[in-house]
Amino acid sequence: MYLLGYDIGSSSVKASLVNAETGKCVAGAFYPKSEAGIIAVKKGWAEQDPEEWWKSLKYATRDVLNASGVRPETIQAIGISYQMHGLVCVDRQHRVLRPAIIWCDSRGVPYGRKAFGEIGKETCLAHFLNSPGNFTASKLAWVKENEPEIFGKIDKIMLPGDYIAMKLTGEICTTVSGLSEGVFWDFRNNSVAGILLDYYGFDRSLLAEVKPTFAEQGRVTAEAAAELGLAVGTPVTYRAGDQPNNALSLNVFNPGEIASTAGTSGVVYGVNGVVSYDPQSRVNTFAHVNHSAENPRLGVLLCINGTGILNAWIRKTLFPEGISYADMNELASRVPVGSEGVSILPFGNGAERMLQDQETGCSVQGLNFNIHNRNHLLRAAQEGIVFSFKYGIDIMKGMGIDVKKIHAGCANMFLSPLFRETLADITGAVIELYDTDGATGAAKGAGIGAGVYRDHGEAFATLEKLGVTEPDPVRAAACAEAYGRWLECLERLKENNE
């Protein structure tokens, strides 16, 4: 008995086939093999053709079936993870009307900012837990104003995962978690966000039918089965955005549990058991995969744009071609905690929501030409990234999330012992590394939705823990001193930027 998971990313589409009994991935594949293209007609725009996601999904499905030799009829259920906040528009024949406006497209910003001001900050935060910002609703507002002919043809709007589910099953539906990430959900009234829909002039019929996150959401049609090599009638039983799904993949479901990633950008995703928000809207709050009105489970999302991209920039700029990240980590470890006075603010990858959308740029503070070298910059970069995590985690603590343990996949910057140690020391949290990914998590989510597993405890009982990093009191004292210096640099920078 097997489970199939898909992860629809902006760089590739991944597929994982999981043995439901052992919990192990028996085959995985991704397409395209080079990073998927993003259409950028104008500065700040970012679009992709949804049909390209489907084509990549077909190739990845073919590869996992061929590599595993698994018979399609033994696949019990399908789960979908997807890039969040995108906008797909289709007509009554389910035809795509324009390229998808994806998560990193910024054209919705002025619409969201205007809505935040005119609806009112208190109303938006109390009902939506977020500013309308640059989320799906604001992207649709841009389409309404700038492409009225296309807007008039829209039958339904969807998130990227909803589109893939539609292609698989012929049915259009979504989830409360999905609606919340588009700022289409009113948490106070436990209903579709009528306040925002009325403000933007959107008919409620544009939104898809809401179904539970873990439940049958349709079955594979004969047409899709012929294209993919799957069995007709295979149920789709789970879908979630990539960050809630990453948390699920790491068995993060309950208040106080934290999931984190540290790739090009960094994410800390904490589960809150009460409906709350940051009054300054520096973090975002969405319905987690197991949220209900009776038993709230909110995913508080902190995103830091300048994370691994800083490490990659230093590698490309200061070191010889071909040096490995492992070698860089070893060189950084030769420098004492605190980098002997060097502080790096890693905010050089665009405006940071955590800093209330300030675009401060990256800066290096305390550099002494007589004692510092590139190894100091290496360590200061990793410390600066961790300190930005600490800054955001303190915001989350102010919302009632007690951070004691951080779950992460063994990838990207979490491969660095120095990074893990610094994060543990400055936050006081235990860091646990696991062997999993988004597509594998989506497959297990499908198992929960199909009733293959009784609950998430059974689904993730076989999740393999690869390592644990505990805080060290001696390092923690030095780390706290370095963080204090870093924080002073940040406060000066913010003042100068106002």
Side-chain angles (χ1 to χ4, degrees), residues 148-392:
E149 290 186 9
I150 288 174
F151 183 83
K153 295 176 183 177
I154 299 173
D155 180 58
K156 287 288 184 288
I157 63 164
M158 290 178 283
L159 298 160
D162 300 335
Y163 172 79
I164 292 299
M166 181 200 76
K167 292 287 286 184
L168 286 165
T169 68
E171 298 184 29
I172 299 178
C173 61
T174 192
T175 65
V176 168
S177 180
L179 288 176
S180 75
E181 74 179 69
V183 194
F184 285 118
W185 190 252
D186 185 328
F187 286 91
R188 174 167 287 185
N189 294 323
N190 193 39
S191 67
V192 167
I195 298 168
L196 192 65
L197 293 174
D198 292 342
Y199 171 81
Y200 278 141
F202 299 155
D203 194 283
R204 285 157 175 76
S205 67
L206 291 174
L207 301 182
E209 177 187 0
V210 179
K211 293 194 176 182
T213 296
F214 301 102
E216 185 174 312
Q217 302 165 359
R219 289 180 173 263
V220 173
T221 63
E223 181 182 359
E227 281 195 79
L228 300 176
L230 297 176
V232 176
T234 306
V236 175
T237 57
Y238 166 79
R239 80 183 72 177
D242 51 12
Q243 294 306 327
N245 180 73
N246 179 62
L248 168 138
S249 305
L250 293 162
N251 198 24
V252 168
F253 286 85
N254 297 311
E257 295 177 343
I258 305 289
S260 185
T261 60
T264 300
S265 61
V267 168
V268 178
Y269 183 97
V271 179
N272 205 351
V274 295
V275 179
S276 66
Y277 54 86
D278 172 41
Q280 298 180 56
S281 196
R282 294 166 295 176
V283 294
N284 300 119
T285 303
F286 308 113
H288 192 36
V289 293
N290 56 338
H291 171 75
S292 68
E294 303 74 30
N295 194 28
R297 293 293 182 267
L298 284 303
V300 180
L301 177 63
L302 162 71
C303 183
I304 300 157
N305 293 333
T307 302
I309 191 170
L310 170 59
N311 212 33
W313 182 87
I314 288 178
R315 180 192 191 195
K316 179 177 65 177
T317 307
L318 300 182
F319 287 88
E321 187 175 346
I323 189 172
S324 69
Y325 284 115
D327 288 340
M328 289 170 58
N329 293 334
E330 195 279 324
L331 292 173
S333 69
R334 298 179 186 179
V335 175
V337 175
S339 306
E340 295 189 295
V342 180
S343 298
I344 294 184
L345 304 174
F347 308 120
N349 193 29
E352 295 283 357
R353 187 171 186 84
M354 180 178 72
L355 304 181
Q356 295 180 285
D357 292 324
Q358 288 191 42
E359 191 162 354
T360 63
C362 178
S363 64
V364 181
Q365 306 283 332
L367 191 64
N368 185 315
F369 299 138
N370 298 309
I371 63 173
H372 296 137
N373 57 42
R374 60 187 180 184
N375 293 354
H376 289 84
L377 294 178
L378 265 180
R379 178 161 197 133
Q382 292 207 22
E383 289 180 340
I385 294 164
V386 168
F387 293 162
S388 67
F389 276 45
K390 159 70 173 171
Y391 185 85

Side-chain angles (χ1 to χ4, degrees), residues 10-11 35 37-40 42-48 83-87 100-109 134-135 139 265 305 349:
S10 49
S11 59
E35 190 165 324
I38 293 177
I39 305 163
K42 294 184 179 179
K43 182 181 178 181
W45 288 23
E47 300 179 341
Q48 289 183 321
Q83 49 173 297
M84 297 171 71
H85 316 306
L87 173 66
I101 302 177
I102 65 171
W103 63 276
C104 51
D105 186 293
S106 61
R107 76 187 79 178
V109 169
N134 189 36
F135 300 118
K139 292 176 168 71
S265 61
N305 293 333
N349 193 29

